[in-house]
Amino acid sequence: MNNGTFRFNGIFLALVAAFSQFPAAQAAEPDSDKQLGEMVVKSDKSALPANVPASTESVTAKQIAESVNSVSSSGALQYVPSVHVRERFIGDVNGGLAMRMYGVNSSAQTIVYADGLLLSNFLNNSCCPGPRWGMVSQHAIDRVDVMYGPFSALYPGNSVGGVVLMTTHMPSKLEAHAQLDFFNERFKLYGTDDNFTGGHVAATVGNKVGDWSFWLSADHLDNHSHPTDFTSATAKSAPAAGAGQFTPVTGAVYDLDTANKQRVITAATSLDHTVKDDVTIKVAYDFSPTTRATYTFNAWQNTSDKLIDSYLKDAAGNTIYGTSSTPGIYRYVRIDGKDYTVTAPSVSYTESEYYMHGLSLKSDSGGAWAWDMVASYFTQNKDIIRASSGNSGTTPSTAATAGSITYGDGTGWYNVDLRGIWRPDGNISSAHQVSFGLHTDTYTTKSDKYDLVSGSNWQISNAGALNTNSRGETTTTAIYIQDAWQITPKWKLVVGGREEHWEAKDGSNYASTSGNVSYPDKSVWAFSPKASLSYLVNDDWALRGSYGRGTRFPTVNELFKNVGITVAGTNTAATAGQIAGFPAPYNTAFTNNPNLKPESADSWEFTVERFLANGLWRTSLFGEEKRNALISQTDLTTIPGFSISSVQNVDKVRSYGLETSVQANDVLVRGLDLMGSVAYIHSRIVENAANPGLEGTEQTLLPAWRASAVGVYHQSEALSYSLGWRYSARQHASLYNTATRQYNDPNADTYMGRSSFSVFDAKVLYKFAKQWSASLGIDNITNVKYYTQYPYSQRTIFAGVKFDL
């Protein structure tokens, strides 16, 4: 048994011992929040639908304010069990969401909603970009509810990992809030040793006048990030460069890469200056005490300047950015007597402007019928990325006269959900509660990359020749029905199904090396059954078993996104068209795959819950068997002598895990609240006809262990202290290498690795006047260096002040 396993078995046993000593909950009073089938302690403002057939966790605005330093809405999930957000720095737009058996590159296998409006980015299945966290300000959140797995018929197959439901604020009287935050990170890695600072300001105002209510929220972030990328030199093979063909330099830094091979780091890149503005307007009208219509508009603007810092200096102290392919003194650089080539890193500038519209209409009198309608529309009104080419010698990349410009304008999606509930007994206590609904969504991708016209600076030059583009659209239409049947006071059965029709159309790619290719339209039908049986043993214990199938359809980018690669192989006799699914010429392919099938996961969960006097302790055993899993891998079954790497269907993946979590108030002493969890995951590829050597090996980006804990001590009504802890075991960045018979990353604790981490955070919140509060916090107290390929933030100090009217 390894040390990590031993340590977490110890933690698990300690939790069991500690919380088994807590007094059990008293006999339920008539107004108790305990409800069979939901098995969750929650307030009336919870976004969870009635009769939840799965495990859930919740955090409130108060808990977030007392324990979380992050100013992003994703920070609200920092200590939720088996949840992790890949936020490398404050303002990171590539914040992929990981939940239970799904890693941070699984944006299409988890769902994030805010007030029923979709924030998840199902245009791709990746970390980049992740859910549109920036469309919701953290200070506007009332609570966050998390539901694990695809066990509810109300949600599409993208819920295989889980569903995050954010509820934002809507006032019942006049109120206003203002918040100001400053943060500073001290970052030291390779040749970088500097402070990176930023600021955040937010303001809200709202009121309810008669039947009308409104909420206006504005959020501004300006942050300078640490470098997230680094460049390395490539050694020249013998002989050494001749006179006049090299420049001696200093400043390079040596380290070991993920394969434990020596690496020479020459520059820090992607030092991101992010400026974000987010404005939300919500207007609601109450037609009656039980019927409300709400319109939401959100505008999100972001600029991102990604700069570089070359470490190389010549004898005169001049910065050297890169080497040249043409003869001369910058053909090579000489580092400690050895010659290298260095690719000058690129700088880039991104300008984005996204809009979201949402409309909801809800009615529930508690009688026989309840219904709601939610529609949302998201569009990338402006999405422009300018990138420079590198330069050699002392000429910086910022002075480049060549580069590219990419337009993503018009990419977006819309969703419509029509939902109803029928209670045959005519009231909310009906033995049967039948939920039913209709869903439709459409996702559209538009991406055009041009070479910049050479001759003027890359920052102002016009688009020239088209280099690549992508077009495509997917549409899903679904109907569902689900019945929650209270068989007896102790037994409840929730059973349902979801029928979906998916189609992909208008798919095409263009590449300057191979021309245009169009793909035929395709469509698929899929049915996903659901079932959950709950048993209330007594006032202290409850049990539940759940089953659900989740069908996840390919995203438009997996199908149609155009990224040119070279196919590995030596068969020069191959002719155009012999590589199925890819256009001519045969030696060029796209990483997209228009022939993908949907993946289907049969998931199960068995949960035991102990109701404590002041909290809840939950333990869940869960798993899934997935067929046609969508995984990026190498296909060895193409024409002889060739292999193609792309997203492909893997025949079968089997995963299972165990998770225990607890939330409790007034633990041991009055005023001490605790939340903690430990989870173990085991996931293996079990059938893979395209690459049989991967059978029995691990998936990427899934740590075997995850854990978190946070304690908040309330010294008084005005003063609280929190201490948090986050842990993750290491992950593999790539699949098993069947040629070398090992994983490619034995050294995960370095740049480009997926390292383990054990991080402590702290926060003090003090209300120093009736309407004023201040906070001081530190994330990563012990200054751990850890990586998600790119480095996460090192020790960061936060200071904030808030006014509440």
Side-chain angles (χ1 to χ4, degrees), residues 432-461:
H432 285 274
Q433 299 197 32
V434 182
S435 301
F436 54 93
L438 171 69
H439 168 87
T440 184
D441 63 55
T442 295
Y443 294 85
T444 303
T445 186
K446 294 180 180 179
S447 179
D448 299 283
K449 181 179 181 180
Y450 296 87
D451 297 322
L452 291 173
V453 175
S454 183
S456 61
N457 190 279
W458 67 278
Q459 299 177 74
I460 59 174
S461 54

mmCIF file of all heavy atoms in Angstrom, residues 432-461:
data_model
loop_
_atom_site.group_PDB
_atom_site.id
_atom_site.type_symbol
_atom_site.label_atom_id
_atom_site.label_comp_id
_atom_site.label_asym_id
_atom_site.label_seq_id
_atom_site.Cartn_x
_atom_site.Cartn_y
_atom_site.Cartn_z
ATOM 1 N N HIS A 432 -48.039 10.730 -5.810
ATOM 2 C CA HIS A 432 -47.357 10.738 -7.108
ATOM 3 C C HIS A 432 -47.116 12.195 -7.511
ATOM 4 O O HIS A 432 -48.007 13.037 -7.418
ATOM 5 C CB HIS A 432 -48.206 10.071 -8.184
ATOM 6 C CG HIS A 432 -48.248 8.574 -8.090
ATOM 7 N ND1 HIS A 432 -47.292 7.771 -8.665
ATOM 8 C CD2 HIS A 432 -49.126 7.750 -7.476
ATOM 9 C CE1 HIS A 432 -47.578 6.502 -8.418
ATOM 10 N NE2 HIS A 432 -48.705 6.459 -7.695
ATOM 11 N N GLN A 433 -45.895 12.473 -7.978
ATOM 12 C CA GLN A 433 -45.583 13.778 -8.555
ATOM 13 C C GLN A 433 -44.879 13.515 -9.881
ATOM 14 O O GLN A 433 -43.731 13.062 -9.915
ATOM 15 C CB GLN A 433 -44.708 14.609 -7.611
ATOM 16 C CG GLN A 433 -45.412 14.884 -6.286
ATOM 17 C CD GLN A 433 -44.760 16.024 -5.507
ATOM 18 O OE1 GLN A 433 -44.220 16.956 -6.081
ATOM 19 N NE2 GLN A 433 -44.838 15.942 -4.188
ATOM 20 N N VAL A 434 -45.616 13.803 -10.951
ATOM 21 C CA VAL A 434 -45.148 13.455 -12.296
ATOM 22 C C VAL A 434 -44.555 14.696 -12.951
ATOM 23 O O VAL A 434 -45.259 15.683 -13.193
ATOM 24 C CB VAL A 434 -46.303 12.889 -13.150
ATOM 25 C CG1 VAL A 434 -45.776 12.492 -14.524
ATOM 26 C CG2 VAL A 434 -46.942 11.693 -12.451
ATOM 27 N N SER A 435 -43.256 14.640 -13.222
ATOM 28 C CA SER A 435 -42.578 15.722 -13.941
ATOM 29 C C SER A 435 -42.445 15.337 -15.406
ATOM 30 O O SER A 435 -42.180 14.185 -15.734
ATOM 31 C CB SER A 435 -41.185 15.959 -13.344
ATOM 32 O OG SER A 435 -41.259 16.295 -11.976
ATOM 33 N N PHE A 436 -42.625 16.305 -16.285
ATOM 34 C CA PHE A 436 -42.518 16.034 -17.730
ATOM 35 C C PHE A 436 -42.033 17.312 -18.406
ATOM 36 O O PHE A 436 -42.138 18.421 -17.851
ATOM 37 C CB PHE A 436 -43.865 15.586 -18.302
ATOM 38 C CG PHE A 436 -44.991 16.538 -18.013
ATOM 39 C CD1 PHE A 436 -45.337 17.548 -18.911
ATOM 40 C CD2 PHE A 436 -45.717 16.429 -16.830
ATOM 41 C CE1 PHE A 436 -46.374 18.421 -18.643
ATOM 42 C CE2 PHE A 436 -46.759 17.310 -16.546
ATOM 43 C CZ PHE A 436 -47.092 18.309 -17.451
ATOM 44 N N GLY A 437 -41.501 17.161 -19.602
ATOM 45 C CA GLY A 437 -40.993 18.358 -20.255
ATOM 46 C C GLY A 437 -40.477 18.127 -21.662
ATOM 47 O O GLY A 437 -40.367 16.996 -22.139
ATOM 48 N N LEU A 438 -40.161 19.247 -22.301
ATOM 49 C CA LEU A 438 -39.619 19.283 -23.654
ATOM 50 C C LEU A 438 -38.380 20.166 -23.642
ATOM 51 O O LEU A 438 -38.375 21.240 -23.031
ATOM 52 C CB LEU A 438 -40.655 19.847 -24.629
ATOM 53 C CG LEU A 438 -40.178 20.162 -26.053
ATOM 54 C CD1 LEU A 438 -39.857 18.873 -26.798
ATOM 55 C CD2 LEU A 438 -41.247 20.953 -26.805
ATOM 56 N N HIS A 439 -37.333 19.719 -24.325
ATOM 57 C CA HIS A 439 -36.076 20.480 -24.379
ATOM 58 C C HIS A 439 -35.581 20.537 -25.815
ATOM 59 O O HIS A 439 -35.712 19.576 -26.579
ATOM 60 C CB HIS A 439 -35.014 19.794 -23.516
ATOM 61 C CG HIS A 439 -33.615 20.329 -23.734
ATOM 62 N ND1 HIS A 439 -33.124 21.404 -23.053
ATOM 63 C CD2 HIS A 439 -32.633 19.937 -24.604
ATOM 64 C CE1 HIS A 439 -31.891 21.651 -23.465
ATOM 65 N NE2 HIS A 439 -31.563 20.781 -24.403
ATOM 66 N N THR A 440 -35.001 21.673 -26.181
ATOM 67 C CA THR A 440 -34.303 21.771 -27.467
ATOM 68 C C THR A 440 -33.117 22.708 -27.319
ATOM 69 O O THR A 440 -33.167 23.670 -26.538
ATOM 70 C CB THR A 440 -35.243 22.264 -28.591
ATOM 71 O OG1 THR A 440 -34.527 22.244 -29.838
ATOM 72 C CG2 THR A 440 -35.724 23.675 -28.335
ATOM 73 N N ASP A 441 -32.035 22.397 -28.018
ATOM 74 C CA ASP A 441 -30.861 23.268 -28.015
ATOM 75 C C ASP A 441 -30.175 23.181 -29.369
ATOM 76 O O ASP A 441 -30.309 22.190 -30.086
ATOM 77 C CB ASP A 441 -29.881 22.896 -26.894
ATOM 78 C CG ASP A 441 -29.305 21.495 -27.041
ATOM 79 O OD1 ASP A 441 -28.730 21.176 -28.096
ATOM 80 O OD2 ASP A 441 -29.415 20.708 -26.082
ATOM 81 N N THR A 442 -29.462 24.232 -29.707
ATOM 82 C CA THR A 442 -28.676 24.284 -30.944
ATOM 83 C C THR A 442 -27.344 24.963 -30.633
ATOM 84 O O THR A 442 -27.313 26.026 -29.999
ATOM 85 C CB THR A 442 -29.404 25.057 -32.049
ATOM 86 O OG1 THR A 442 -30.596 24.341 -32.409
ATOM 87 C CG2 THR A 442 -28.524 25.198 -33.292
ATOM 88 N N TYR A 443 -26.263 24.337 -31.085
ATOM 89 C CA TYR A 443 -24.915 24.876 -30.917
ATOM 90 C C TYR A 443 -24.289 25.093 -32.288
ATOM 91 O O TYR A 443 -24.336 24.205 -33.147
ATOM 92 C CB TYR A 443 -24.045 23.917 -30.096
ATOM 93 C CG TYR A 443 -24.514 23.793 -28.677
ATOM 94 C CD1 TYR A 443 -25.526 22.897 -28.335
ATOM 95 C CD2 TYR A 443 -23.978 24.598 -27.692
ATOM 96 C CE1 TYR A 443 -25.980 22.796 -27.038
ATOM 97 C CE2 TYR A 443 -24.429 24.512 -26.387
ATOM 98 C CZ TYR A 443 -25.424 23.604 -26.064
ATOM 99 O OH TYR A 443 -25.883 23.515 -24.775
ATOM 100 N N THR A 444 -23.712 26.274 -32.463
ATOM 101 C CA THR A 444 -23.137 26.649 -33.751
ATOM 102 C C THR A 444 -21.692 27.082 -33.568
ATOM 103 O O THR A 444 -21.392 27.888 -32.673
ATOM 104 C CB THR A 444 -23.925 27.809 -34.384
ATOM 105 O OG1 THR A 444 -25.292 27.425 -34.518
ATOM 106 C CG2 THR A 444 -23.361 28.174 -35.747
ATOM 107 N N THR A 445 -20.800 26.552 -34.403
ATOM 108 C CA THR A 445 -19.405 26.984 -34.357
ATOM 109 C C THR A 445 -19.045 27.674 -35.665
ATOM 110 O O THR A 445 -19.408 27.212 -36.751
ATOM 111 C CB THR A 445 -18.447 25.795 -34.110
ATOM 112 O OG1 THR A 445 -17.123 26.301 -33.936
ATOM 113 C CG2 THR A 445 -18.451 24.803 -35.255
ATOM 114 N N LYS A 446 -18.371 28.815 -35.545
ATOM 115 C CA LYS A 446 -17.854 29.574 -36.680
ATOM 116 C C LYS A 446 -16.456 30.054 -36.295
ATOM 117 O O LYS A 446 -16.298 30.812 -35.338
ATOM 118 C CB LYS A 446 -18.740 30.775 -37.003
ATOM 119 C CG LYS A 446 -20.130 30.427 -37.505
ATOM 120 C CD LYS A 446 -20.933 31.693 -37.803
ATOM 121 C CE LYS A 446 -22.324 31.350 -38.304
ATOM 122 N NZ LYS A 446 -23.123 32.582 -38.582
ATOM 123 N N SER A 447 -15.466 29.635 -37.034
ATOM 124 C CA SER A 447 -14.095 30.020 -36.732
ATOM 125 C C SER A 447 -13.331 30.196 -38.032
ATOM 126 O O SER A 447 -13.338 29.301 -38.887
ATOM 127 C CB SER A 447 -13.423 28.945 -35.867
ATOM 128 O OG SER A 447 -12.081 29.288 -35.590
ATOM 129 N N ASP A 448 -12.688 31.357 -38.184
ATOM 130 C CA ASP A 448 -11.907 31.658 -39.381
ATOM 131 C C ASP A 448 -10.544 32.191 -38.951
ATOM 132 O O ASP A 448 -10.458 33.202 -38.243
ATOM 133 C CB ASP A 448 -12.606 32.712 -40.245
ATOM 134 C CG ASP A 448 -13.960 32.242 -40.731
ATOM 135 O OD1 ASP A 448 -14.008 31.442 -41.669
ATOM 136 O OD2 ASP A 448 -14.969 32.679 -40.142
ATOM 137 N N LYS A 449 -9.486 31.525 -39.393
ATOM 138 C CA LYS A 449 -8.123 31.954 -39.088
ATOM 139 C C LYS A 449 -7.443 32.417 -40.370
ATOM 140 O O LYS A 449 -7.391 31.683 -41.352
ATOM 141 C CB LYS A 449 -7.336 30.808 -38.450
ATOM 142 C CG LYS A 449 -5.912 31.182 -38.070
ATOM 143 C CD LYS A 449 -5.193 30.007 -37.408
ATOM 144 C CE LYS A 449 -3.784 30.360 -37.007
ATOM 145 N NZ LYS A 449 -3.090 29.209 -36.368
ATOM 146 N N TYR A 450 -6.908 33.654 -40.334
ATOM 147 C CA TYR A 450 -6.245 34.243 -41.492
ATOM 148 C C TYR A 450 -4.779 34.520 -41.159
ATOM 149 O O TYR A 450 -4.427 34.830 -40.011
ATOM 150 C CB TYR A 450 -6.908 35.568 -41.874
ATOM 151 C CG TYR A 450 -8.339 35.464 -42.325
ATOM 152 C CD1 TYR A 450 -9.380 35.490 -41.397
ATOM 153 C CD2 TYR A 450 -8.661 35.350 -43.674
ATOM 154 C CE1 TYR A 450 -10.701 35.406 -41.799
ATOM 155 C CE2 TYR A 450 -9.981 35.266 -44.090
ATOM 156 C CZ TYR A 450 -10.995 35.291 -43.151
ATOM 157 O OH TYR A 450 -12.299 35.212 -43.557
ATOM 158 N N ASP A 451 -3.945 34.444 -42.180
ATOM 159 C CA ASP A 451 -2.585 34.955 -42.058
ATOM 160 C C ASP A 451 -2.638 36.472 -42.169
ATOM 161 O O ASP A 451 -3.378 37.013 -43.002
ATOM 162 C CB ASP A 451 -1.689 34.388 -43.157
ATOM 163 C CG ASP A 451 -1.554 32.875 -43.077
ATOM 164 O OD1 ASP A 451 -1.489 32.346 -41.953
ATOM 165 O OD2 ASP A 451 -1.527 32.225 -44.147
ATOM 166 N N LEU A 452 -1.882 37.163 -41.335
ATOM 167 C CA LEU A 452 -1.831 38.624 -41.426
ATOM 168 C C LEU A 452 -0.989 39.062 -42.617
ATOM 169 O O LEU A 452 -0.010 38.393 -42.985
ATOM 170 C CB LEU A 452 -1.251 39.212 -40.142
ATOM 171 C CG LEU A 452 -2.121 39.079 -38.891
ATOM 172 C CD1 LEU A 452 -1.352 39.541 -37.661
ATOM 173 C CD2 LEU A 452 -3.418 39.868 -39.028
ATOM 174 N N VAL A 453 -1.391 40.163 -43.216
ATOM 175 C CA VAL A 453 -0.629 40.722 -44.331
ATOM 176 C C VAL A 453 0.730 41.172 -43.803
ATOM 177 O O VAL A 453 0.811 41.970 -42.858
ATOM 178 C CB VAL A 453 -1.375 41.902 -44.971
ATOM 179 C CG1 VAL A 453 -0.513 42.547 -46.058
ATOM 180 C CG2 VAL A 453 -2.700 41.425 -45.557
ATOM 181 N N SER A 454 1.790 40.633 -44.366
ATOM 182 C CA SER A 454 3.129 40.945 -43.885
ATOM 183 C C SER A 454 3.542 42.348 -44.313
ATOM 184 O O SER A 454 3.098 42.861 -45.338
ATOM 185 C CB SER A 454 4.126 39.923 -44.439
ATOM 186 O OG SER A 454 5.416 40.149 -43.931
ATOM 187 N N GLY A 455 4.385 42.981 -43.504
ATOM 188 C CA GLY A 455 4.904 44.288 -43.868
ATOM 189 C C GLY A 455 4.612 45.362 -42.854
ATOM 190 O O GLY A 455 5.298 46.382 -42.818
ATOM 191 N N SER A 456 3.603 45.175 -42.030
ATOM 192 C CA SER A 456 3.320 46.133 -40.963
ATOM 193 C C SER A 456 3.189 45.366 -39.656
ATOM 194 O O SER A 456 3.138 44.136 -39.634
ATOM 195 C CB SER A 456 2.039 46.916 -41.261
ATOM 196 O OG SER A 456 0.925 46.048 -41.346
ATOM 197 N N ASN A 457 3.123 46.076 -38.543
ATOM 198 C CA ASN A 457 3.081 45.431 -37.241
ATOM 199 C C ASN A 457 1.848 44.546 -37.097
ATOM 200 O O ASN A 457 0.753 44.912 -37.536
ATOM 201 C CB ASN A 457 3.099 46.495 -36.134
ATOM 202 C CG ASN A 457 3.297 45.882 -34.769
ATOM 203 O OD1 ASN A 457 2.368 45.374 -34.155
ATOM 204 N ND2 ASN A 457 4.537 45.909 -34.294
ATOM 205 N N TRP A 458 2.035 43.378 -36.460
ATOM 206 C CA TRP A 458 0.967 42.388 -36.317
ATOM 207 C C TRP A 458 -0.248 42.932 -35.580
ATOM 208 O O TRP A 458 -1.362 42.416 -35.737
ATOM 209 C CB TRP A 458 1.495 41.155 -35.578
ATOM 210 C CG TRP A 458 1.854 41.447 -34.150
ATOM 211 C CD1 TRP A 458 3.015 41.991 -33.688
ATOM 212 C CD2 TRP A 458 1.028 41.231 -33.003
ATOM 213 N NE1 TRP A 458 2.980 42.147 -32.326
ATOM 214 C CE2 TRP A 458 1.772 41.679 -31.872
ATOM 215 C CE3 TRP A 458 -0.245 40.724 -32.803
ATOM 216 C CZ2 TRP A 458 1.271 41.621 -30.576
ATOM 217 C CZ3 TRP A 458 -0.749 40.665 -31.515
ATOM 218 C CH2 TRP A 458 -0.011 41.111 -30.416
ATOM 219 N N GLN A 459 -0.061 43.972 -34.789
ATOM 220 C CA GLN A 459 -1.165 44.511 -34.000
ATOM 221 C C GLN A 459 -2.154 45.322 -34.828
ATOM 222 O O GLN A 459 -3.286 45.542 -34.397
ATOM 223 C CB GLN A 459 -0.615 45.375 -32.863
ATOM 224 C CG GLN A 459 0.260 44.600 -31.898
ATOM 225 C CD GLN A 459 0.853 45.482 -30.822
ATOM 226 O OE1 GLN A 459 0.158 45.898 -29.897
ATOM 227 N NE2 GLN A 459 2.132 45.785 -30.938
ATOM 228 N N ILE A 460 -1.735 45.777 -36.009
ATOM 229 C CA ILE A 460 -2.607 46.633 -36.825
ATOM 230 C C ILE A 460 -2.787 46.115 -38.251
ATOM 231 O O ILE A 460 -3.620 46.639 -38.990
ATOM 232 C CB ILE A 460 -2.067 48.071 -36.881
ATOM 233 C CG1 ILE A 460 -0.659 48.095 -37.480
ATOM 234 C CG2 ILE A 460 -2.090 48.710 -35.508
ATOM 235 C CD1 ILE A 460 -0.120 49.487 -37.712
ATOM 236 N N SER A 461 -2.020 45.112 -38.661
ATOM 237 C CA SER A 461 -2.099 44.647 -40.049
ATOM 238 C C SER A 461 -3.420 43.947 -40.319
ATOM 239 O O SER A 461 -4.069 43.407 -39.418
ATOM 240 C CB SER A 461 -0.932 43.719 -40.371
ATOM 241 O OG SER A 461 -0.859 42.663 -39.432
#
